Structures are given as structure tokens and as C-alpha cells.
């Protein structure tokens, strides 16, 4: 018995729709897994910075910091704690909202939170640079160096990805 062409076409279209849905789910799962892995790497850096800052308070020369340096220290320490919490948030979302990326809301929320976490990490790292360079080289040199490192972070972490991201029109054409 031969199946009419129009029924074959309908069956093929249904099958393609199912495959597209499955591939979209799989792509979503991979995106979540990739994002969580990136955040694990970043979290290690945050923990190292936090350990450095904690150890600094117990060093013998900490008492010689002036008021400005102690303010930068406290601000950087608190920024690092907040950064750690923000960067761990997508992991908590993944655990609570559905393993395997089954919840489609996780990806855009987690990506946004990751960007906020990177911004806070850049502030934390630049705070550490300001603290150390102010202590070692003085205020003016510290401001110049910190401005330079902040500029590098801004270009590499925020402007470059925006410039290299395909336009919305190109993403729509490719089906992303």
C-alpha cells in the first residue's frame, strides 16, 4: 500500500517540527551547561581574591593603611562577597528551576546574572589593584593604573562581546 504524497509531506513536516523542538531543547541544555562551567571557573578567581583580601587584614602592615586605603579595602572585600553570591546564583537557579536546562527561563536570566557578576568582579579586581598600588606607589599612580586596568576590563569584557555579537537580523536569519 502506497502512502499519498501529501500525507508523506505532512508526516515529514511533523517529524521535522519534533526534531527542531528537540534540537532547541538540547541547545538550551548545552547553553546552560556551558554557562555553569564558565561560572565555575570565574568563581575560583573570586575565591582566590577573597582569600587574598581576608589574609591582608591579618598581615602586620595592615595597621599602617590610611583611612582611604581601609575604605577601599572594606569596599573591595564587600564587593567580592557580593560578586561571589551573584556568580553562584545561576547555579542555584539551575538547581531549583529544573536540572538539564528544562526550564527555558533559566538561560536568559542566568546569562544576565552572569554579566552582572562579571561587572562586579571587574569592580572587585580593580578595587584590589587600587588598594595595592595606592599602598605601594601612592595615590596618583594608583588612580592612573586603576583607570588603565578598568579600561582594559571594559573593552575586553563588555565592548568587545557587543561588537562581535551578530546583529539581530543575522541571528533571525540563521534561526538562533
Amino acid at each position: 500500500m502506497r502512502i499519498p504524497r501529501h500525507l508523506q509531506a505532512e508526516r515529514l513536516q511533523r517529524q521535522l517540527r519534533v526534531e527542531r523542538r528537540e534540537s532547541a531543547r538540547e541547545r538550551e541544555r548545552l547553553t546552560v551547561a556551558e554557562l555553569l562551567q564558565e561560572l565555575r571557573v570565574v568563581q575560583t578567581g573570586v575565591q582566590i581574591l577573597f582569600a587574598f583580601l581576608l589574609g591582608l587584614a591579618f598581615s602586620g602592615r595592615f595597621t599602617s593603611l590610611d583611612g582611604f586605603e581601609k575604605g577601599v579595602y572594606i569596599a573591595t572585600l564587600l564587593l567580592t562577597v557580593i560578586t561571589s553570591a551573584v556568580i553562584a546564583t545561576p547555579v542555584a537557579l539551575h538547581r531549583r528551576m529544573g536540572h538539564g536546562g528544562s526550564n527555558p527561563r533559566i538561560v536568559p536570566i542566568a546569562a544576565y546574572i552572569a554579566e552582572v557578576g562579571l561587572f562586579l568582579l571587574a569592580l572587585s579586581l580593580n578595587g584590589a589593584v587600587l588598594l595595592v598600588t595606592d599602598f605601594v606607589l601612592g595615590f596618583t599612580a594608583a588612580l592612573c593604573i586603576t583607570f588603565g586596568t578598568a579600561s582594559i576590563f571594559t573593552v575586553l569584557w563588555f565592548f568587545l562581546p557587543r561588537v562581535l555579537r551578530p546583529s539581530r537580523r543575522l541571528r533571525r536569519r540563521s534561526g538562533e
Side-chain angles (χ1 to χ4, degrees), residues 6-127:
H6 74 281
L7 292 178
Q8 285 178 347
E10 285 176 23
R11 184 182 291 171
L12 183 59
Q13 286 175 343
R14 271 195 311 266
Q15 184 178 357
L16 287 173
R17 278 195 299 270
V18 168
E19 287 176 10
R20 272 195 294 256
R21 277 195 305 264
E22 285 302 314
S23 65
R25 282 190 200 124
E26 185 59 30
R27 195 168 45 244
E28 191 175 284
R29 282 187 198 107
L30 289 172
T31 300
V32 169
E34 195 175 275
L35 180 62
L36 293 176
Q37 182 59 35
E38 291 169 358
L39 292 173
R40 283 185 193 101
V41 171
V42 171
Q43 184 70 11
T44 302
V46 173
Q47 291 168 343
I48 291 168
L49 176 60
F50 187 63
F52 163 74
L53 291 168
L54 286 178
L56 196 61
F58 298 102
S59 72
R61 296 183 70 186
F62 187 77
T63 55
S64 65
L65 294 180
D66 63 26
F68 173 76
E69 291 164 338
K70 285 181 181 175
V72 170
Y73 171 79
I74 293 298
T76 303
L77 181 71
L78 294 175
L79 265 172
T80 305
V81 169
I82 294 166
T83 300
S84 185
V86 170
I87 286 179
T89 298
V91 176
L93 286 175
H94 176 65
R95 293 240 173 247
R96 302 288 289 170
M97 292 176 70
H99 270 291
S102 61
N103 189 325
R105 295 183 308 170
I106 291 175
V107 175
I109 292 169
Y112 177 76
I113 291 170
E115 279 198 43
V116 171
L118 285 175
F119 175 74
L120 293 172
L121 178 57
L123 290 177
S124 300
L125 290 169
N126 282 290

Side-chain angles (χ1 to χ4, degrees), residues 162-176:
R162 299 260 190 274
V163 169
L164 295 178
R165 179 182 291 160
S167 71
R168 283 187 178 155
R169 189 173 41 207
L170 288 175
R171 284 193 306 248
R172 266 185 276 171
R173 280 188 198 156
S174 66
E176 290 181 19

